[in-house]
Amino acid sequence: MWYNIIMMKSDKNIFSDHQLNELTKEQLVSLCRILQDKNTEYENQFAFLTEQINLLKNHRFGRSSEKNSSIEGQTSLFFNEAEAVAASMQSEDDYEETEVKAYKRKKTKGKKEMDLSKFPVVRIEHKLSDEERYCEKCGKFLKEVTTEVTKKLRFVPAHFEVEEHVTSVYACTDSTCGNMKRAPQDPALLKGSIATASLVAAVMNGKYVNGMPLYRQEAEFKRNGLELDRNRMSYWIVRCTELYLSLLFEELKKQFLACQYKQADETKVRVLHEDGRKATTDSYMWVYRTGELCSTPPVILYIYEQTRGGYHPRNFLGDSTGYLTTDGYQAYHSLEDKFTVTGCMSHCRRKFIDCLKALPEKQHKGTIAFEAKKRIAMLYQIEDILKEKSSEERYEERLRQSKPILDAFFEWLEPMKSQSDSNSLIGKAIRYALNQRKYLEGYLLDGNIPIDNNASERAVKPFVMHRKAWLFCNTPNGADASGIIYSIVETAKANGLHPYNYLTHLLENIPKHMSDTNLNFLQELLPWSASLPYKCRVKNV
């Protein structure tokens, strides 16, 4: 009874001096213990809220980089990059090696002459007229003795050309025969449409490579004198994807499933018109890619699904087996009956970095998070050294160098699990690392397994950045088409191809084979095919 009274009154702080004098020694001791517990609870709550506020402020105003180095004046340089660089240069060839204190490093000496040999040349000659070629001193005719050549780079804006197809029809000269013959031509991309491979590829490239929504492209086309509305462009994208690009996507999927090393991630996408779902309901774009370190050509696939349920990766991956590198999401761990699931050290490191972000930088050294970050950095330094090694050498060196560091890291964290507040950032970081230990150590099993899932996160990034511009997909069909196009352009980029030229090549060639009984022709159109024309490959500067 006294315990209930003390709890009620201690919360309301209504004990009078007379009431306190009436309490026995045991009751006073109980009251002190209760008040100490309440004080500890409030201190933990205050520390938790302080961490959350500092972390949110860092997410809102701080740098997104996980590096812990401090760079004074970096924010202003990011926002005024052009002005800052221009102010430091007196002329275009003023690239003298000077120390920049804000960065604490030296600017590299640039080269004025760029390699312009890969671009077409428009020769512009500057000559004197016949009347001007007389000497002002003696009046004799001047002869040309040499030329001076300077090169400048011109930008030619996009322009449109109308393809006018004139098909000749022939008739037999024998009037009794009546036979007629039409000159052959390539099948139309879309029957009855003005769309060509180059135009549709440009629209796709604008949205899925450069992140330009269709309404912005519509405005740009209008400024160039072409009335091309976004509904028509959207129809072109979806229809060409369904008819042609989906065939190549299925071939890429086969190549991906055959690879023993896989990585996966997922991100949100909003679809406005889905049956039985509100427009504000989140759907998901699942991203799968071949292992970053394996020798097979990179394949990156984007699959639209309505939910984040674990049955989606199970259905997509089917009967394939091997190694699967992911973050700590439980849906992937449910695939351990088919895959050896390995974890992401980058996610583990991020938990400790969040702890540092919640503290003033001068308090970082000496903390558990700072020490954990240093230990994980040692693992990444080893990976940098082994980057160019074979998978066998990488496997052996990881066991020799990385395994002792990992074992010591988890043994060091183990006693701290019970000592830290489970609701604090450091408590969550410690528990995440220890709970994920089996998966974080997984990369030691094979030299082709990456230490983290950063490759998948990099594959997600273009989609996330573009999503900020176009915000949502209109229909599930549009989301499916977007996934297929992202798969093709990102796989093309990963294989060193020019996305626009590659899309144009696909849309020019796949329609020619639509009547074929087999799809063997797709092998020559895969992003790593040696049969692709040179124009599809990125021209290195």
Side-chain angles (χ1 to χ4, degrees), residues 36-54:
Q36 286 177 345
D37 291 342
K38 296 295 290 184
N39 185 58
T40 302
E41 178 185 343
Y42 291 143
E43 285 180 349
N44 290 339
Q45 187 177 15
F46 176 77
F48 172 76
L49 293 175
T50 302
E51 284 183 339
Q52 294 299 312
I53 292 171
N54 291 336

Side-chain angles (χ1 to χ4, degrees), residues 253-262 289-291 294-297 299 320-323 339:
K253 181 179 175 180
K254 292 178 185 177
Q255 299 288 335
F256 167 77
L257 294 177
C259 181
Q260 190 179 9
Y261 305 94
K262 303 176 180 68
R289 65 156 294 150
T290 51
C294 65
S295 57
T296 57
V299 176
S320 64
T321 57
Y323 298 95
F339 290 92

Side-chain angles (χ1 to χ4, degrees), residues 237-252:
I237 289 173
V238 174
R239 192 63 180 145
C240 287
T241 302
E242 292 174 345
L243 290 175
Y244 311 122
L245 299 185
S246 59
L247 302 178
L248 188 73
F249 173 83
E250 291 300 323
E251 195 60 37
L252 291 175

